[in-house]
Structures are given as structure tokens and as C-alpha cells.
Amino acid sequence: MQMIRPGLGIIFFLALRGLQKHAFSSFLAILTIAMAVGLFLSTWKINDDTRLAFHHSAGGFDAVLGARGSKLQIILNSLFHLESSPGNLSWEQYEIIQNTKGVKEAYPIAVGDNYLGYRLVGTDPELLTSHQWKPGQGYEVEEGGRVFSPLAKEAVVGSLVAQKVGLQVGDQFHPYHGLNFKEENKHQDIYVVVGILEATGTPADRVIWVPIKGIQLMDGHDKSMSHSLSAVLLSLKGAAGFSLDMKYNRQGNVATLAWPVASTLSSFFDKFTWFQKILELVAGMIAVVGTLIIVLTLRSSMNERRREFAILRCLGASRQSVSTVIISQSLILACLGVMAGFFVHFLIHIFVSHIIQENTGVLMSGFSVGFMGVYVFCAVLFVGLASGILPARQVYKADLSENLKHHT
Amino acid sequence: MLSISNLKKSFQLTGEIFLPVVSIEDFVLEKKQMVAIHGTSGSGKTTFLHLIAGLLTPDEGSIQLQGVDLQELKESRRDFLRATSIGYIFQSFHLLQSCTALENLLIAMSFAGQVNVDGAKEMLDRVGLKDRMNHKPGEMSVGQQQRVALARALINKPTLLLADEPTGNLDAGNAESSLNLMKELCISSGASMLVVSHDSNVINSFDHQINWVELNQVSKGEPCK
């Protein structure tokens, strides 16, 4: 009742009453717009956020040296701890690249074992003590823990692993052979947890860090592999990337240098562009359905409200006022739809972030609608406005006397 | 107060065939005067009221309300004049069904540019609906709906009250009390009243009576080019 005020107040009141009267079709219109907005924003934004999150989760490395094979496979295996290793490198290759001019840091890693499905990554303890995984930020071990010794059967557990399997400092565990957990592949070695890593929001959170010697000399591993490793993680200085690219990728045939990491990752995401296009198309189709529902809601509302609008005119409402009621209804539907769409986007963001973090350890950035959200908001309002124009025009041109007469 | 001269209105039937409905040479309604027009149904009385209220535009002639020629006003000014200076009671009341009695009055007030909740409540109290102001028309009796319509028509203190078969839907008892209330409220607010009806009981309750056939010069519904 407080809304009944001259000007916009009465128009808003009448528009809301009209929508209340057609609550079900109004709800359907809002729901379809929400689905379209939520799907479109999620498709667009999650793709962008995922790319960004993966680029920020490269662990502060510029390149990875791996066995001859796919650059993408080397990066996914070494930096994101996904997929299998394309093969092994010899220890000599590690020593050569470590001493190459332009190489700032070189950390060997070896993989091939897991604990309950979480990978064991063998490396040099300096990776956890000296390396900065993002500018100015090194790895930190939670209070009461420490980094493993290079020759001991000790482990530092990533925060996500600790949370999922409940490992604590002082706990012991048997590693399992292979990257996938199979109970029959249990190694006899026993590792002691000496530290839990502080969460980083990177793939480092979902692995168990052990000394590289531990992987190389694990009970049951082939003795010939005791001097081999899976990859070397590299930080480079100046133009070293170009010269190493030339040396390993164009002239050599024993190893592959996955460099630069960012463009290799981009090519990975580009492979999914078709999927994004399909989702955008689906979102577009839902948006069309939403628009049609708005138009139908307004038209059915208008047909039933001819008499009401005629009465309002008798009470002194101008043609502009009654047609503005119709426009307001479509704008309210669009506005509520886009708001609900942001909420749908928020839910999808939470769901997808959870899935990505569970499977890769990569933490997505916080929820935001960004500038695309503003564009979508304006676009939906425009569509709402446009879909209200035709019914509003009919109300504007309606024969007042006739509409009163038909219902008396 | 209301002055009409050479008023003509016809409706197009087909092509160039028009049906003349209203043709009034001269009509005057004085301030505070109450006049009843008597005529058969379908003879153009409602059209006449619609023309006075500015809901229809005449083909010819002038309608002056308080010295203002309605035809010279822009449509938006005419709408505002209707909201502020003319109260209209319809045979079927034309209440907004989705709104309560109080909201019906407040909506009428909002188009006149001033909403006064206390004033609306007081008006509903005056027509005996103090306890029904938050009820919707569908929850009221026909007599109560008629009183809401009356309250709504007078809430903006109009100078002219138009009533089209105001008791057409009421039984004899309700019709009489409703007419008395209408007159009483018009007298107290100083409004003029123009009632059209085919009901002789209604007509006979007014001092000033006009026969529609004598007022309207249209020959019985013959189409013309």
C-alpha cells in the first residue's frame, strides 16, 4: 500500500500486481532467463577463470624438460600432476640442464607411485624450501612439521591430501605402485609424514612430496631406473627459453622442452572452444525461450487486463501510464531473471570450482560477474524492454470506451 | 459549471457508413445542480457521459467544464482533469478486482497527484465500509461494492459526478439508500451530479429531470454517409 504514490510508485504497484496475478508464467519467465544468464556467464567466465587459474598454478616455473613427447602431456604431468609421464630422463640430462647458462632453477621430479590415489612426487627438498611458487611466496610447512630429508623415507603432504585422507605429522603409510590406486600394488616401504604444506590453491596441495631417491629406490622398482627421473622443472633467465627450445626441440631428439608453459596451456584450452560455443548456443536458445515467455506472459496478462486498464484510464491514468505498467512488468521480469541468473552463475561457479580443485588442486578465483556481467545485465534489460514494447503499444492504442463496454 | 454546445458523435459502421449516436445542441449543468436524464437502454446516454468525461472525443461541438474546453486540452491534461474534477460511477462499478477497497481509492488518488491514506479511510468510513476497507471486491456484497465505487468517485473531491445507471445492479432497498448516500455526499462536497438511467424510480427522486429523446437530436439510429 505504501507503494501507491503518484508517478512511478503507482506504476510499480500495478506492474507487481499484474505479475502476481500471473505468478506461474512470471516464475517460468524468470526461471528461463535465469538459466540462460547463468549458463552463458558460467560458460564464458569459468572458461576464462580456469585458464587464469591454471596459468597462475604453474608453480612459478617457466619450462619443463621431459622425455621426448607431447609438451602438453609433460606440463600436465609435471606441473599439474595429471595424466601419465611420457617417459623418463637420465640423471645426466638433469645435470646438464642444471648447469646450462640461463637456467636459474632446476628441480628434478620423479613420479610413479601413489597413496590412496594421491600421487607421490619425488623431488629435491629445496623445491619446498627455496623455490617461490609465485612471486615472493615460497611453500610453507604447517607448524610442528618440517621438510623431508633427502635420504630419509619421509613425506610432506599437500593440504588437500591431508584433509581428504586425514594424514597427520607422525603418521606412517605404505605407498602403492602406479599412478592409480590398486590395493595389490602395495610397496613394502614405509614413509613417515614429517610435515603438512600450507594450502596454496595449486596442484601442490593434492600430492605427497617425498625425496626423489625414495621414488627411484622404492622397493619393487626396476633397479635400472634408480638414476632416472620423470622431468625437470625449470626457471629460466633472459632468453634461455629460445636457446633451450632450439637445442632440445629443433636440433635434439632425446628430450622435449615444454616452453613456454602459458602458450602450451592456452593450446590445451583452445581444444575446448567448440564445447564453449555449444554451451553459448544452448544459452542463446534458452534466452530466446525466456524472451518468448515474457512476451506471452505480457500478452495474456494484457488480454485479461484490458478492462482493468480501461478502468485506470477512467480514473485519470494517461495512455503513457498504462503502457508504462506493461513495460515495467517486462523490465521487472528481466531484472529478476538476470539477478536470479547471477545466482545460478554463482552456484555453477561453486560447483565447478569444487570439481576443479578436487581433480587438479587448482583453486579458482573468487566469484565475480565481471564486466561481462554488466553487459549481460544491460542486454537482458534491453530484451525485456523490447519484448514489452508491442503489448505496451497495444494497450496504448486500446479503445477505452470499447474495452469498458465489452465487460459491462 | 458544465456547458455543452453543438455536440455530435457518431460511430463508423462500415466503410463510409456512420451511425449518429449523440447530437446535442445545448446543455448546461449548474454548480451543485443534480440532474437525471431518462432514456431507454442503448440510446446513447453512456456515450454522452463518456464524451463529458473525455473518454471519447466528439466529432463536433464543445464541452466546457469550469470554463475549460475539453477539446482544447492535450490528452494528458484531459486525463488529469478527469482524475481531479470528474467522478464516474458505472453500472457494474468497474472496481479493480485485484485490489482492496482502500487500494481502489488510493489508486484513484494517485492519478490526481495526491495520496492520503487517512482521507481514503475516512471516506470509506463515511460510506459505512470501515470494517471492509481491506477486502477485495469479490469478498463484498453488491451493495458494498457500489459504495466503494461511490467512495472512489468522490475521493478526489470532484466538481462533477457522473453516474451511469448507478443502481442498475442493486435491489430496491439498496438502490434507494445508495442514491440517498450519493446525493448526500454530493451536497456535502459541493459537486454537481449528472445521472443517466432508464429506471423511473431513480429519475423521480431528482428535482431536475431531462428526457434523453428531447435532449438528443439524433433521429432513431439511422446510419448516414
Side-chain angles (χ1 to χ4, degrees):
Chain A
M1 203 163 65
Q2 282 80 6
M3 259 193 281
I4 305 177
R5 289 274 174 273
L8 285 177
I10 182 64
I11 285 168
F12 194 62
F13 171 82
L14 293 169
L16 283 182
R17 274 295 157 95
L19 294 177
Q20 267 175 9
K21 205 171 172 185
H22 295 85
F24 183 68
S25 49
S26 301
F27 171 75
L28 272 186
I30 291 169
L31 186 71
T32 45
I33 294 170
M35 296 302 288
V37 168
L39 190 60
F40 178 78
L41 277 180
S42 300
T43 305
W44 181 84
K45 190 110 193 336
I46 287 171
N47 178 53
D48 265 25
D49 284 358
T50 312
R51 280 176 186 247
L52 199 65
F54 268 75
H55 286 154
H56 287 161
S57 301
F61 292 107
D62 305 310
V64 181
L65 185 70
R68 201 71 185 159
S70 149
K71 287 182 180 181
L72 182 60
Q73 191 182 0
I74 290 170
I75 286 176
L76 290 178
N77 179 59
S78 311
L79 296 179
F80 294 94
H81 312 299
L82 301 167
E83 300 216 0
S84 57
S85 166
N88 289 330
L89 294 174
S90 67
W91 193 256
E92 287 72 30
Q93 283 173 308
Y94 160 60
E95 288 176 334
I96 290 168
I97 198 161
Q98 186 186 28
N99 296 316
T100 301
K101 190 181 172 190
V103 174
K104 193 166 73 179
E105 290 176 298
Y107 297 103
I109 61 164
V111 295
D113 296 296
N114 77 90
Y115 175 64
L116 302 179
Y118 292 98
R119 285 188 186 197
L120 266 62
V121 179
T123 189
D124 191 313
E126 282 190 12
L127 173 64
L128 301 180
T129 55
S130 308
H131 175 68
Q132 294 188 345
W133 58 273
K134 72 175 180 185
Q137 181 70 60
Y139 292 106
E140 286 179 19
V141 177
E142 284 183 8
E143 205 175 325
R146 61 174 173 81
V147 173
F148 54 77
S149 302
L151 297 174
K153 289 182 179 177
E154 293 177 341
V156 170
V157 181
S159 62
L160 195 69
V161 182
Q163 183 193 328
K164 291 286 176 190
V165 300
L167 284 174
Q168 294 177 337
V169 172
D171 287 350
Q172 297 184 337
F173 66 91
H174 287 278
Y176 292 80
H177 188 64
L179 295 177
N180 299 312
F181 174 65
K182 282 184 186 163
E183 204 152 358
E184 63 271 21
N185 292 343
K186 189 176 180 180
H187 286 296
Q188 291 308 308
D189 302 63
I190 296 174
Y191 276 76
V192 179
V193 177
V194 295
I196 309 289
L197 273 190
E198 295 271 10
T200 61
T202 70
D205 295 345
R206 57 184 292 276
V207 295
I208 298 171
W209 300 92
V210 296
I212 192 163
K213 284 292 172 200
I215 299 283
Q216 289 171 330
L217 303 174
M218 187 79 75
D219 162 61
H221 281 185
D222 189 343
K223 298 294 176 200
S224 64
M225 307 303 275
S226 60
H227 285 286
S228 66
L229 47 102
S230 302
V232 184
L233 310 181
L234 300 166
S235 295
L236 305 176
K237 286 188 284 192
F242 289 102
S243 57
L244 288 173
D245 183 42
M246 184 65 75
K247 178 181 171 184
Y248 285 100
N249 298 339
R250 299 177 192 224
Q251 294 169 352
N253 59 4
V254 292
T256 295
L257 184 80
W259 175 88
V261 170
S263 66
T264 309
L265 276 176
S266 289
S267 69
F268 169 62
F269 284 105
D270 288 345
K271 289 177 182 175
F272 300 106
T273 309
W274 64 272
F275 185 63
Q276 189 189 353
K277 296 279 178 213
I278 288 176
L279 287 180
E280 282 174 359
L281 188 67
V282 171
M285 286 164 70
I286 297 174
V288 169
V289 173
T291 307
L292 284 175
I293 292 179
I294 290 187
V295 173
L296 290 175
T297 304
L298 294 179
R299 280 187 67 87
S300 66
S301 154
M302 196 191 68
N303 286 332
E304 288 174 26
R305 297 178 80 194
R306 278 183 201 283
R307 178 173 172 265
E308 186 181 322
F309 289 131
I311 295 168
L312 292 172
R313 292 294 318 280
C314 288
L315 296 177
S318 63
R319 287 179 192 274
Q320 288 84 352
S321 296
V322 290
S323 48
T324 309
V325 170
I326 291 286
I327 295 280
S328 303
Q329 281 187 338
S330 63
L331 283 177
I332 289 170
L333 287 178
C335 208
L336 291 176
V338 81
M339 294 294 189
F342 286 159
F343 183 65
V344 170
H345 172 41
F346 172 69
L347 293 180
I348 294 175
H349 178 87
I350 289 177
F351 179 71
V352 171
S353 299
H354 178 72
I355 297 284
I356 289 177
Q357 195 180 11
E358 285 283 307
N359 290 284
T360 67
V362 174
L363 185 66
M364 303 271 285
S365 59
F367 172 78
S368 71
V369 290
F371 71 89
M372 183 54 98
V374 178
Y375 287 154
V376 168
F377 187 83
C378 294
V380 173
L381 285 195
F382 177 76
V383 169
L385 185 69
S387 49
I389 283 176
L390 194 66
R393 191 167 171 271
Q394 282 179 283
V395 167
Y396 186 90
K397 287 181 162 287
D399 183 335
L400 177 52
S401 183
E402 200 62 24
N403 284 334
L404 282 174
K405 199 193 305 177
H406 277 172
H407 300 273
T408 51
Chain B
M1 212 284 298
L2 174 68
S3 172
I4 291 171
S5 60
N6 299 317
L7 183 68
K8 284 191 170 68
K9 178 69 183 175
S10 57
F11 292 105
Q12 190 174 19
L13 294 179
T14 51
E16 292 180 6
I17 311 293
F18 287 84
L19 176 69
V21 177
V22 174
S23 177
I24 293 171
E25 202 170 305
D26 190 44
F27 176 81
V28 175
L29 183 68
E30 300 296 345
K31 193 176 179 186
K32 297 184 182 179
Q33 194 180 15
M34 296 186 191
V35 172
I37 298 177
H38 181 236
T40 54
S41 296
S43 57
K45 300 190 300 298
T46 298
T47 302
F48 178 51
L49 291 192
H50 281 188
L51 288 165
I52 295 171
L55 301 176
L56 284 173
T57 49
D59 302 333
E60 289 177 37
S62 94
I63 301 168
Q64 290 199 349
L65 184 64
Q66 292 177 300
V68 178
D69 192 328
L70 296 186
Q71 270 46 67
E72 287 180 2
L73 293 177
K74 280 183 176 177
E75 191 182 38
S76 58
R77 290 298 304 164
R78 212 158 51 226
D79 293 332
F80 188 68
L81 185 77
R82 182 161 62 246
T84 52
S85 302
I86 300 173
Y88 205 140
I89 300 174
F90 302 86
Q91 180 179 348
S92 54
F93 318 135
H94 285 333
L95 296 175
L96 297 164
Q97 297 296 320
S98 58
C99 300
T100 64
L102 183 58
E103 286 169 345
N104 264 279
L105 266 65
L106 294 177
I107 288 169
M109 291 175 107
S110 74
F111 293 124
Q114 200 169 10
V115 173
N116 177 356
V117 179
D118 292 335
K121 286 179 177 173
E122 194 184 318
M123 177 58 91
L124 285 169
D125 191 12
R126 285 183 72 185
V127 298
L129 294 173
K130 188 180 180 182
D131 301 329
R132 309 289 285 173
M133 56 181 68
N134 291 318
H135 289 248
K136 291 182 178 173
E139 300 159 355
M140 294 178 175
S141 69
V142 177
Q144 287 170 333
Q145 289 182 42
Q146 215 270 357
R147 279 184 275 157
V148 177
L150 175 60
R152 187 181 66 180
L154 292 171
I155 190 64
N156 291 323
K157 299 183 175 61
T159 51
L160 173 63
L161 178 68
L162 302 174
D164 187 359
E165 304 283 4
T167 59
N169 281 344
L170 302 179
D171 57 48
N174 266 322
E176 191 182 346
S177 62
S178 177
L179 266 179
N180 290 338
L181 180 63
M182 208 182 295
K183 287 175 186 171
E184 182 192 318
L185 289 172
C186 269
I187 290 165
S188 65
S189 67
S192 306
M193 177 159 59
L194 182 60
V195 174
V196 298
S197 179
H198 66 273
D199 184 344
S200 54
N201 291 328
V202 173
I203 300 300
N204 292 335
S205 72
F206 284 83
D207 294 337
H208 298 276
Q209 300 168 15
I210 297 175
N211 189 332
W212 176 245
V213 177
E214 288 173 12
L215 179 67
N216 189 18
Q217 303 300 308
V218 170
S219 56
K220 295 292 177 186
E222 287 180 21
C224 64
K225 280 198 173 184

